[in-house]
Each structure stands twice: as structure tokens, then as C-alpha cells.
């Protein structure tokens, strides 16, 4: 079974530039998550999708971050414009459903450096 | 509010010795508890989870965790550590109403030969 795919793996940009990350979840997983992991911290949920609908985006900085999952499969996360404090690893995860017992499966992440 | 504490930033163990990585939690309602491991430049990998039932949960790679409701703890254990167990370990919790998964700050495990 293929895992969660993410691209690119690394990205370096200047502040105020834009960047986009892509995620392809495990086949059949209805729930998709984007996390931000700052160095030395645990992952923090940015947004959760159930199929193509948003379940929770309470911690997404909506003035600069946006995410979509138009066909209920792949997802993109965009930052525009980027700030220095956005430097982090962005992790995508998926699970079969939103049930509390469902474990999440994580992709390898995209390491973003904002200069 | 839900929270997870991993009181040790780093745990050092000699190969072959038992290891424990500590985790305590705070959640409203019944907790669902998870352990994940992260190797360098890799995503998080699921190790085990506690949902209900036996307090001792067995997971991947010989790891196990003990749920203690009175102490609100979910410590990760392994009887005999391997050098290849060296990695970053995260404890996470959510409540049984399906709330978001909250992670601890992580514990760096170092196993020396």
C-alpha cells in the first residue's frame, strides 16, 4: 500500500514570496490533515478535511494560508506572502475517517525555509 | 483544553537495556492516546494506540505502552533497546468526541552501543 505522498520535499524562498505544497493521501482515506511542525516542537494542526469539506481550520492563519481539496483526494496548501516565522516542516496526514480511534498516517513532509 | 506533556527532552539508554519515554496528558472525557516515532527527514510513523480495554498496549517494533488513568500517563516502553530505536518520539491525545490530535513536544531517544 502506497503511503502519503508530498512534494516538494524541500523549499527555500524569500520572505513575501508565495509557495505551495502538494499532498496525495493514502487511497480510500477520506480525512486529510495539514500540520505545521516548527523545529523542537510537536506538529500543530492547521486544517482538517473530510472529503472535500473543511472540518477544522481554527488554527490556520487565514490572512496568508489557504488550502483546498477540490476533488476530495489531493490537496494543496499555499502560503502567500510567506514570513520568516513560517519556516517549518509541513506535514500532510490522512486517515480512514474522522473517528477518534482512527490513527493518522503521515507523509515525509516539506521542509520550508523562509529567508 | 487538551494537552500533552513529555517531561524529558532527551532520554539516553545503553543498547540492550530497557527504555521508558514518559508522557502525561490532560483531556476532557475519555482519552485516545497515540505514540508516533519520527526518524530524521521522515514523517511521523504510527507505533501504537490506546482506545479502550487492556491498559498495556503492544505496538510495532517491540514497543508497548501502559495507560494509567489515575496518573493520567501513557509511558512508552521497550524491554531491550536497539541502536536503531534512536529517533524522536511523540505522544499524542484526542478525546472520544473526535477532537483534534494534540502532540507533545517530543522526546529524543538516543541508544548507544
Amino acid at each position: 500500500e502506497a503511503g502519503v505522498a508530498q512534494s516538494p520535499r524541500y523549499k527555500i524562498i524569500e520572505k513575501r514570496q508565495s509557495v505551495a505544497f502538494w499532498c496525495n493521501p493514502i487511497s480510500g482515506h477520506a480525512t486529510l490533515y495539514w500540520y505545521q511542525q516548527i523545529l523542537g516542537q510537536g506538529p500543530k494542526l492547521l486544517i482538517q478535511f473530510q472529503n472535500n469539506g473543511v472540518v477544522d481550520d481554527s488554527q490556520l492563519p487565514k490572512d496568508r494560508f489557504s488550502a483546498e481539496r477540490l476533488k476530495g483526494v489531493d490537496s494543496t496548501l499555499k502560503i502567500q506572502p510567506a514570513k520568516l516565522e513560517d519556516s517549518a516542516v509541513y506535514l500532510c496526514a490522512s486517515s480512514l475517517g474522522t473517528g477518534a480511534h482512527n490513527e493518522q498516517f503521515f507523509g515525509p513532509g516539506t521542509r520550508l525555509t523562509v529567508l | 483544553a487538551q494537552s500533552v506533556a513529555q517531561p524529558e527532552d532527551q532520554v539516553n539508554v545503553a543498547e540492550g537495556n530497557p527504555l521508558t519515554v514518559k508522557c502525561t496528558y490532560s483531556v476532557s472525557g475519555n482519552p485516545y492516546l497515540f505514540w508516533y516515532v519520527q526518524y530524521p527527514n521522515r514523517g511521523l510513523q504510527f507505533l501504537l494506540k490506546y482506545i479502550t480495554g487492556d491498559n498495556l498496549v503492544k505496538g510495532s517494533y517491540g514497543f508497548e505502552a501502559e495507560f494509567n488513568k489515575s496518573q493520567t500517563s501513557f509511558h512508552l516502553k521497550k524491554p531491550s533497546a536497539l541502536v536503531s530505536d534512536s529517533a524522536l518520539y511523540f505522544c499524542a491525545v484526542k478525546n472520544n468526541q473526535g477532537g483534534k490530535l494534540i502532540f507533545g513536544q517530543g522526546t529524543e531517544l538516543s541508544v548507544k552501543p
Side-chain angles (χ1 to χ4, degrees):
Chain A
E1 177 183 87
V4 176
Q6 289 188 248
S7 68
R9 291 295 311 276
Y10 305 91
K11 191 73 178 178
I12 300 173
I13 61 173
E14 303 271 337
K15 61 182 178 183
R16 290 187 289 275
Q17 285 187 321
S18 302
V19 65
F21 312 128
W22 173 82
C23 172
N24 182 241
I26 291 173
S27 178
H29 280 195
T31 310
L32 185 146
Y33 313 79
W34 282 102
Y35 287 87
Q36 181 191 59
Q37 185 180 17
I38 293 173
L39 187 64
Q41 299 181 19
K44 182 187 80 173
L45 181 70
L46 291 174
I47 188 166
Q48 176 183 341
F49 292 94
Q50 175 69 13
N51 297 310
N52 61 350
V54 175
V55 174
D56 185 345
D57 63 357
S58 57
Q59 297 195 82
L60 186 73
K62 298 181 186 65
D63 57 334
R64 298 184 300 107
F65 285 64
S66 64
E68 60 184 14
R69 194 184 184 199
L70 293 175
K71 296 183 179 179
V73 180
D74 293 7
S75 177
T76 56
L77 176 69
K78 297 179 181 178
I79 307 175
Q80 180 179 10
K83 293 185 174 181
L84 296 177
E85 59 261 34
D86 298 333
S87 293
V89 175
Y90 290 85
L91 295 166
C92 179
S94 69
S95 63
L96 278 171
T98 58
H101 61 285
N102 286 313
E103 62 264 31
Q104 297 176 22
F105 296 85
F106 286 79
T110 297
R111 183 177 297 277
L112 174 67
T113 301
V114 182
L115 303 175
Chain B
Q2 298 170 190
S3 65
V4 176
Q6 293 181 243
E8 301 154 318
D9 290 336
Q10 185 160 13
V11 170
N12 298 307
V13 177
E15 188 175 30
N17 283 358
L19 70 86
T20 299
V21 182
K22 295 179 180 178
C23 171
T24 59
Y25 67 89
S26 174
V27 67
S28 57
N30 293 323
Y32 287 10
L33 294 152
F34 301 80
W35 275 102
Y36 285 85
V37 59
Q38 187 174 36
Y39 297 98
N41 299 315
R42 304 272 297 274
L44 277 69
Q45 186 174 337
F46 170 75
L47 278 179
L48 52 79
K49 65 181 177 183
Y50 171 82
I51 302 300
T52 187
D54 287 342
N55 290 341
L56 186 63
V57 179
K58 294 189 182 297
S60 306
Y61 312 119
F63 284 93
E64 57 189 29
E66 186 167 10
F67 171 64
N68 188 315
K69 187 173 184 177
S70 62
Q71 296 185 5
T72 61
S73 67
F74 189 56
H75 301 331
L76 182 70
K77 301 181 180 183
K78 187 173 183 180
S80 179
L82 300 173
V83 173
S84 57
D85 292 331
S86 298
L88 189 56
Y89 290 80
F90 289 96
C91 181
V93 68
K94 64 164 75 172
N95 64 26
N96 60 351
Q97 281 95 50
K100 62 169 65 89
L101 192 60
I102 304 298
F103 286 85
Q105 76 275 22
T107 298
E108 184 82 39
L109 174 66
S110 178
V111 182
K112 301 293 187 188

